[in-house]
Amino acid sequence: MSRTVYVNGDYLPEAEARVSIFDRGFLMADGVYEVTSVLDGKLIDFKGHAKRLARSLAELEMTCPVSEAELLAMHRELVARNGIEHGMIYLQVTRGNPGDRSFLFPDPSLPGTVVAFTQNVPNLADAPAAKVGFKVISIPDLRWSRVDIKTVQLLYPSMGKMAAKKAGVDDSWFLDEAGAVTEGTSNNAYIVKGNRIITRQLGSDILHGITRAAVLRFAAEAQFEVEERPFTIAEAQGADEAFSTAASIFVMPVVELDGMAIGTGKPGPVAVRLREIYLDEMRKAAI
Ligand code: PLP
């Protein structure tokens, strides 16, 4: 079924949506994005995503042609027009179309390009993968040094997903030069030891996950200890549990790392519980 998508203020059938070949998002990966989940026809943590979008734009000296209130209205309109019960909204803002290719940023008065579209995922909350958990391999983190900015420059994460696919697993976790895990291709990475949940501290070498922030808040409220520090693959392989978080997978148990089972090799109780708490609480707060 053809979707209705959003392009610079217009709602169009997807086949009629057009962006210039000179758009800097296309030529330079000069754009940022957000993915917001939809459950029961409502937006999960929209505020968090809008806040991070504003931060990504500010870090790149870009202005957003659309206000937060307009973005919210547009997200809701896309949900309604496409009849989305469960799924995702992808939003992208680029520096726009200066009419030619140049390395220099165009005049800041040039309006950026804003596009958004829905992805219908009926079983988003009860994904079969969450029942068996992800198998993961580790690969070097060869991304640029500002991955805290959510840019559309996703070639290396895409290569990481392909490496995982070729290895017959679900995802790759990136390793820094010291051999510590930074994060997954499109998610934040955690291990569990007893009552402690360990995940890398915020910095410019990981994306500041919106799901991460909520999960760590819920974990602390549920009396888990949260340790924000680097961990290695060896430490992860010896942990009781591991998991990943992202808006599209919520809390996803990780059951195998580089061919070695973690804990029992099945989704662990902490990951399963945090997933339940996250889904319950976020559904209550959805708008
Ligand atoms: N880390 C990376 C590299 C990501 O691409 C993503 C999501 O796309 C995340 C972490 C998780 O972020 P969020 O929880 O905001 O979806």
Side-chain angles (χ1 to χ4, degrees):
M1 201 183 77
S2 169
R3 283 171 284 197
T4 296
V5 303
Y6 173 95
V7 185
N8 295 326
D10 294 326
Y11 294 91
L12 301 166
E14 62 184 45
E16 287 171 31
R18 295 278 180 277
V19 174
S20 166
I21 62 159
F22 298 116
D23 195 281
R24 287 186 56 93
F26 179 62
L27 292 181
M28 302 274 174
D30 188 359
V32 299
Y33 75 106
E34 284 297 329
V35 177
T36 304
S37 292
V38 178
L39 290 177
D40 317 311
K42 289 186 177 169
L43 303 166
I44 301 295
D45 217 340
F46 176 80
K47 273 254 162 227
H49 289 283
K51 200 167 157 207
R52 185 174 60 191
L53 177 72
R55 178 180 182 273
S56 294
L57 290 165
E59 290 294 318
L60 295 173
E61 298 169 40
M62 278 169 70
T63 43
C64 187
V66 189
S67 70
E68 186 179 323
E70 287 167 324
L71 282 179
L72 174 59
M74 175 259 269
H75 275 61
R76 286 177 160 159
E77 188 68 26
L78 283 177
V79 168
R81 288 191 187 221
N82 292 286
I84 302 295
E85 199 51 25
H86 308 298
M88 268 115 57
I89 313 269
Y90 177 88
L91 164 72
Q92 177 168 325
V93 182
T94 79
R95 208 180 298 270
N97 162 26
D100 202 350
R101 181 174 182 268
S102 164
F103 279 79
L104 296 176
F105 290 176
D107 190 287
S109 63
L110 181 81
T113 301
V114 183
V115 302
F117 55 82
T118 54
Q119 291 180 301
N120 187 30
V121 189
N123 63 1
L124 188 64
D126 39 41
K131 297 194 174 66
V132 288
F134 269 9
K135 293 179 179 171
V136 168
I137 54 168
S138 62
I139 61 171
D141 194 340
L142 300 182
R143 300 173 300 167
W144 78 322
S145 324
R146 286 305 309 275
V147 296
D148 57 313
I149 308 173
K150 198 167 167 66
T151 72
V152 297
Q153 196 195 124
L154 293 177
L155 181 55
Y156 191 67
S158 190
M159 290 165 74
K161 270 281 182 195
M162 286 309 296
K165 187 175 179 199
K166 282 182 195 146
V169 300
D170 304 289
D171 198 19
S172 296
W173 278 7
F174 296 137
L175 299 181
D176 68 13
E177 282 177 357
V181 174
T182 51
E183 59 184 336
T185 55
S186 52
N187 48 70
N188 292 114
Y190 308 72
I191 56 172
V192 181
K193 281 185 166 181
N195 194 43
R196 278 177 301 144
I197 291 167
I198 300 155
T199 191
R200 196 181 180 93
Q201 70 284 0
L202 294 181
S204 55
D205 47 12
I206 65 167
L207 185 74
H208 302 187
I210 301 306
T211 319
R212 177 189 184 280
V215 165
L216 293 187
R217 194 174 72 241
F218 297 141
E221 282 168 15
Q223 308 302 322
F224 289 103
E225 259 175 68
V226 173
E227 252 178 60
E228 294 181 68
R229 62 160 175 86
F231 61 86
T232 62
I233 289 293
E235 188 180 5
Q237 286 171 328
D240 300 331
E241 294 183 35
F243 62 91
S244 288
T245 67
S248 53
I249 53 171
F250 310 121
V251 178
M252 178 61 69
V254 170
V255 296
E256 186 188 294
L257 249 179
D258 286 340
M260 201 179 277
I262 301 175
T264 61
K266 297 209 166 70
V270 175
V272 169
R273 180 151 168 242
L274 286 175
R275 183 180 174 89
E276 277 168 17
I277 297 174
Y278 178 84
L279 283 169
D280 281 356
E281 293 298 323
M282 298 316 273
R283 275 185 143 131
K284 276 189 234 159
I287 57 171

